[in-house]
Amino acid sequence: MDILRLLETGRVELEGLVPWSSNYTFLTRVCTEAEEALAVYKPDKGERPLWDFASGTLCQREQAACVVSEALGWGLVPPTIVRDGPHGRGSLQQFIEHDPNQHYFTFGGQHRRPLQQITAFDVVVNNADRKGGHVVVDDDGRLWAIDHGICFHTEYKLRTVIWDFAGELIPADLLAGLRALQQQLNDRLAPVSLALAGLLTRAEVAAMKRRLAGLVETAIFPEPGPGRHYPWPLV
Protein backbone atom coordinates (compact mmCIF):
# COMPACT_ATOMS: atom_id res chain seq x y z
CA MET A 1 0.00 0.00 0.00
CA ASP A 2 1.28 3.48 -0.93
CA ILE A 3 0.23 5.09 2.34
CA LEU A 4 1.27 8.64 1.36
CA ARG A 5 -0.76 8.48 -1.83
CA LEU A 6 -3.72 7.12 0.10
CA LEU A 7 -3.47 9.95 2.64
CA GLU A 8 -3.25 12.52 -0.14
CA THR A 9 -6.09 11.27 -2.34
CA GLY A 10 -8.36 9.13 -0.18
CA ARG A 11 -11.77 10.09 1.17
CA VAL A 12 -11.51 11.09 4.84
CA GLU A 13 -14.30 9.73 7.04
CA LEU A 14 -14.49 10.66 10.72
CA GLU A 15 -14.57 7.78 13.20
CA GLY A 16 -14.56 9.86 16.39
CA LEU A 17 -12.62 12.17 18.69
CA VAL A 18 -9.38 10.94 20.22
CA PRO A 19 -9.75 11.39 24.01
CA TRP A 20 -7.37 13.38 26.22
CA SER A 21 -5.88 15.43 23.38
CA SER A 22 -4.98 19.08 23.98
CA ASN A 23 -6.37 20.01 20.56
CA TYR A 24 -9.25 18.55 18.59
CA THR A 25 -7.91 15.28 17.22
CA PHE A 26 -9.96 12.80 15.20
CA LEU A 27 -9.48 9.18 14.34
CA THR A 28 -10.43 8.83 10.68
CA ARG A 29 -10.70 6.20 8.00
CA VAL A 30 -9.07 7.16 4.69
CA CYS A 31 -10.57 5.27 1.78
CA THR A 32 -10.34 4.70 -1.94
CA GLU A 33 -12.22 2.11 -3.95
CA ALA A 34 -9.40 -0.38 -3.38
CA GLU A 35 -7.69 0.58 -0.12
CA GLU A 36 -8.29 2.06 3.29
CA ALA A 37 -6.30 2.89 6.42
CA LEU A 38 -6.81 4.58 9.76
CA ALA A 39 -5.32 8.03 10.22
CA VAL A 40 -5.18 10.80 12.81
CA TYR A 41 -6.59 14.13 11.65
CA LYS A 42 -5.81 17.40 13.46
CA PRO A 43 -7.66 20.35 11.91
CA ASP A 44 -6.35 23.90 12.25
CA LYS A 45 -9.72 24.98 13.59
CA GLY A 46 -9.29 22.69 16.59
CA GLU A 47 -5.97 24.15 17.74
CA ARG A 48 -5.76 25.55 21.24
CA PRO A 49 -4.14 29.02 20.96
CA LEU A 50 -0.53 29.15 22.14
CA TRP A 51 1.38 32.29 23.03
CA ASP A 52 4.65 31.11 21.50
CA PHE A 53 3.55 29.27 18.34
CA ALA A 54 1.69 30.98 15.51
CA SER A 55 -1.91 29.85 15.09
CA GLY A 56 -2.53 27.57 12.14
CA THR A 57 1.05 26.29 11.97
CA LEU A 58 0.89 23.17 14.13
CA CYS A 59 -0.19 20.93 11.26
CA GLN A 60 2.77 22.14 9.21
CA ARG A 61 5.11 21.30 12.07
CA GLU A 62 3.64 17.81 12.19
CA GLN A 63 4.50 17.30 8.53
CA ALA A 64 7.91 18.97 8.90
CA ALA A 65 8.82 16.46 11.63
CA CYS A 66 7.98 13.62 9.26
CA VAL A 67 10.09 15.24 6.53
CA VAL A 68 13.11 15.47 8.85
CA SER A 69 12.62 11.90 10.08
CA GLU A 70 12.60 10.61 6.50
CA ALA A 71 15.62 12.71 5.51
CA LEU A 72 17.53 11.16 8.42
CA GLY A 73 16.52 7.74 7.15
CA TRP A 74 15.28 6.74 10.60
CA GLY A 75 11.57 6.35 9.88
CA LEU A 76 10.52 7.52 13.33
CA VAL A 77 7.43 9.54 12.42
CA PRO A 78 4.43 7.93 10.70
CA PRO A 79 3.68 9.24 7.19
CA THR A 80 2.14 12.69 7.61
CA ILE A 81 0.70 15.27 5.21
CA VAL A 82 -1.29 18.51 5.33
CA ARG A 83 -4.57 18.56 3.43
CA ASP A 84 -8.22 19.56 3.61
CA GLY A 85 -10.46 17.29 5.66
CA PRO A 86 -14.01 17.25 7.05
CA HIS A 87 -13.23 20.22 9.32
CA GLY A 88 -10.91 22.05 6.95
CA ARG A 89 -7.15 22.14 6.60
CA GLY A 90 -5.12 20.05 9.00
CA SER A 91 -2.52 17.33 9.40
CA LEU A 92 -3.32 13.75 8.49
CA GLN A 93 -1.03 11.05 9.85
CA GLN A 94 -1.15 7.30 9.49
CA PHE A 95 -2.53 5.79 12.69
CA ILE A 96 -0.19 3.29 14.31
CA GLU A 97 -2.00 0.37 15.91
CA HIS A 98 -0.63 0.07 19.44
CA ASP A 99 -1.46 -0.70 23.04
CA PRO A 100 -1.87 2.70 24.78
CA ASN A 101 -0.72 1.11 28.01
CA GLN A 102 2.70 0.52 26.43
CA HIS A 103 4.82 3.65 26.21
CA TYR A 104 8.22 5.05 27.18
CA PHE A 105 7.69 4.56 30.91
CA THR A 106 6.84 0.87 30.47
CA PHE A 107 9.73 -0.14 28.20
CA GLY A 108 11.96 -1.18 31.11
CA GLY A 109 15.30 -0.54 29.42
CA GLN A 110 14.28 -2.00 26.06
CA HIS A 111 14.50 -0.24 22.68
CA ARG A 112 17.77 1.56 23.45
CA ARG A 113 18.75 2.31 19.83
CA PRO A 114 15.41 3.75 18.62
CA LEU A 115 15.19 5.81 21.82
CA GLN A 116 18.64 7.21 21.04
CA GLN A 117 17.38 8.12 17.59
CA ILE A 118 14.33 9.83 19.06
CA THR A 119 16.54 11.70 21.53
CA ALA A 120 18.77 13.09 18.76
CA PHE A 121 15.76 13.79 16.56
CA ASP A 122 14.06 15.78 19.33
CA VAL A 123 17.13 17.99 19.71
CA VAL A 124 17.16 18.73 15.99
CA VAL A 125 13.44 19.56 15.78
CA ASN A 126 13.44 21.28 19.20
CA ASN A 127 10.55 19.20 20.49
CA ALA A 128 8.74 21.02 23.29
CA ASP A 129 6.44 18.11 24.14
CA ARG A 130 8.04 14.64 24.17
CA LYS A 131 5.72 12.97 26.64
CA GLY A 132 6.05 9.29 27.49
CA GLY A 133 2.86 8.55 25.59
CA HIS A 134 4.27 10.18 22.47
CA VAL A 135 6.47 7.13 21.92
CA VAL A 136 4.44 4.07 20.96
CA VAL A 137 5.31 0.55 19.91
CA ASP A 138 3.39 -1.24 17.17
CA ASP A 139 2.42 -4.90 16.99
CA ASP A 140 5.76 -5.74 15.35
CA GLY A 141 7.75 -4.17 18.18
CA ARG A 142 8.75 -1.08 16.20
CA LEU A 143 8.89 2.28 17.98
CA TRP A 144 7.17 5.33 16.53
CA ALA A 145 7.36 8.98 17.58
CA ILE A 146 4.08 10.93 17.37
CA ASP A 147 2.66 14.39 18.21
CA HIS A 148 5.05 17.01 16.84
CA GLY A 149 2.81 20.06 16.65
CA ILE A 150 4.99 22.18 18.93
CA CYS A 151 8.43 21.71 17.41
CA PHE A 152 10.83 23.89 15.41
CA HIS A 153 10.65 27.04 17.51
CA THR A 154 13.59 29.39 16.99
CA GLU A 155 14.16 29.59 20.76
CA TYR A 156 15.39 26.64 22.82
CA LYS A 157 12.31 24.76 24.03
CA LEU A 158 13.41 21.14 24.35
CA ARG A 159 11.10 19.41 26.83
CA THR A 160 11.29 15.65 26.97
CA VAL A 161 11.04 12.74 29.37
CA ILE A 162 13.91 10.95 27.60
CA TRP A 163 17.13 12.02 29.32
CA ASP A 164 18.54 8.48 29.59
CA PHE A 165 21.51 9.24 27.35
CA ALA A 166 22.46 12.72 28.59
CA GLY A 167 26.23 13.18 28.44
CA GLU A 168 26.82 10.01 26.42
CA LEU A 169 28.56 9.93 23.04
CA ILE A 170 26.22 9.71 20.08
CA PRO A 171 26.81 6.34 18.33
CA ALA A 172 28.78 6.61 15.09
CA ASP A 173 25.95 5.43 12.84
CA LEU A 174 23.51 7.96 14.30
CA LEU A 175 26.13 10.68 13.93
CA ALA A 176 26.55 9.71 10.29
CA GLY A 177 22.82 10.18 9.77
CA LEU A 178 22.96 13.62 11.36
CA ARG A 179 25.88 14.63 9.12
CA ALA A 180 24.02 13.37 6.06
CA LEU A 181 21.05 15.53 7.04
CA GLN A 182 23.41 18.51 7.35
CA GLN A 183 24.61 17.99 3.81
CA GLN A 184 21.07 17.78 2.49
CA LEU A 185 20.01 20.97 4.30
CA ASN A 186 23.01 22.82 2.87
CA ASP A 187 21.62 22.15 -0.60
CA ARG A 188 18.71 24.52 -1.18
CA LEU A 189 17.40 22.28 -3.98
CA ALA A 190 17.47 19.06 -1.97
CA PRO A 191 14.01 17.54 -1.42
CA VAL A 192 14.17 18.09 2.36
CA SER A 193 15.12 21.76 1.91
CA LEU A 194 12.32 22.38 -0.58
CA ALA A 195 9.78 20.61 1.61
CA LEU A 196 10.74 22.48 4.79
CA ALA A 197 10.71 25.82 2.95
CA GLY A 198 6.98 25.31 2.40
CA LEU A 199 6.27 24.31 5.99
CA LEU A 200 8.50 26.44 8.23
CA THR A 201 9.81 30.00 8.25
CA ARG A 202 13.38 30.76 7.15
CA ALA A 203 14.25 31.62 10.74
CA GLU A 204 12.94 28.25 11.95
CA VAL A 205 14.94 26.36 9.34
CA ALA A 206 18.07 28.38 10.17
CA ALA A 207 17.62 27.64 13.89
CA MET A 208 17.27 23.93 13.13
CA LYS A 209 20.51 24.01 11.15
CA ARG A 210 22.27 25.61 14.13
CA ARG A 211 20.95 22.96 16.52
CA LEU A 212 22.01 20.23 14.15
CA ALA A 213 25.48 21.73 13.74
CA GLY A 214 25.90 21.95 17.51
CA LEU A 215 24.83 18.35 17.99
CA VAL A 216 27.22 17.11 15.30
CA GLU A 217 30.09 19.20 16.66
CA THR A 218 29.80 17.94 20.24
CA ALA A 219 28.76 14.39 19.24
CA ILE A 220 27.24 14.10 22.72
CA PHE A 221 23.63 13.76 23.78
CA PRO A 222 22.83 17.04 25.58
CA GLU A 223 22.20 17.49 29.28
CA PRO A 224 18.94 19.08 30.47
CA GLY A 225 18.98 22.81 29.79
CA PRO A 226 18.11 25.67 32.12
CA GLY A 227 14.55 26.15 33.26
CA ARG A 228 11.77 23.72 32.47
CA HIS A 229 13.02 20.67 30.60
CA TYR A 230 10.16 18.19 31.16
CA PRO A 231 6.72 18.36 29.48
CA TRP A 232 3.53 18.20 31.52
CA PRO A 233 1.82 15.89 31.98
CA LEU A 234 4.65 13.38 31.68
CA VAL A 235 2.53 10.81 29.84
Side-chain angles (χ1 to χ4, degrees):
M1 179 187 299
D2 185 342
I3 186 63
L4 271 178
R5 182 174 178 81
L6 179 60
L7 292 176
E8 290 167 350
T9 63
R11 182 176 66 257
V12 181
E13 300 176 352
L14 297 180
E15 294 286 313
L17 275 171
V18 176
W20 307 300
S21 297
S22 300
N23 301 306
Y24 276 92
T25 302
F26 297 89
L27 180 65
T28 67
R29 190 172 301 275
V30 186
C31 312
T32 65
E33 292 299 324
E35 298 176 320
E36 67 174 42
L38 293 175
V40 176
Y41 167 52
K42 299 180 180 180
D44 285 353
K45 294 177 182 178
E47 289 182 11
R48 176 171 54 88
L50 300 170
W51 68 269
D52 50 351
F53 286 86
S55 296
T57 68
L58 303 195
C59 65
Q60 294 167 202
R61 299 173 195 279
E62 293 271 10
Q63 183 176 359
C66 182
V67 168
V68 172
S69 168
E70 291 305 300
L72 282 164
W74 294 350
L76 298 172
V77 180
T80 310
I81 64 166
V82 174
R83 61 166 286 184
D84 284 335
H87 292 295
R89 179 178 178 270
S91 63
L92 191 66
Q93 180 177 90
Q94 181 186 13
F95 176 75
I96 301 300
E97 297 278 359
H98 66 281
D99 179 353
N101 294 314
Q102 297 294 314
H103 50 73
Y104 166 74
F105 290 111
T106 70
F107 291 160
Q110 299 179 352
H111 308 295
R112 178 178 175 85
R113 180 49 55 91
L115 286 174
Q116 287 178 322
Q117 291 177 320
I118 292 172
T119 299
F121 170 79
D122 282 345
V123 175
V124 174
V125 304
N126 200 17
N127 193 348
D129 196 35
R130 176 62 71 203
K131 296 180 173 70
H134 292 175
V135 182
V136 301
V137 58
D138 67 17
D139 294 338
D140 295 322
R142 176 178 174 179
L143 257 61
W144 294 90
I146 60 173
D147 285 322
H148 299 100
I150 50 176
C151 294
F152 298 103
H153 202 284
T154 55
E155 300 175 9
Y156 179 82
K157 288 185 177 288
L158 182 62
R159 300 187 189 115
T160 175
V161 296
I162 310 175
W163 292 105
D164 311 50
F165 314 108
E168 295 184 11
L169 290 173
I170 298 174
D173 60 331
L174 270 63
L175 200 58
L178 295 168
R179 290 196 178 107
L181 176 60
Q182 261 191 312
Q183 292 179 343
Q184 294 176 70
L185 290 172
N186 287 333
D187 180 357
R188 290 183 298 173
L189 298 180
V192 63
S193 298
L194 295 173
L196 292 177
L199 297 167
L200 305 173
T201 66
R202 289 184 180 179
E204 288 166 343
V205 173
M208 182 183 67
K209 290 181 179 180
R210 290 193 295 272
R211 292 189 300 271
L212 178 57
L215 194 59
V216 168
E217 182 177 356
T218 63
I220 294 174
F221 289 109
E223 303 276 357
R228 178 183 167 194
H229 51 266
Y230 284 97
W232 190 260
L234 297 178
V235 179

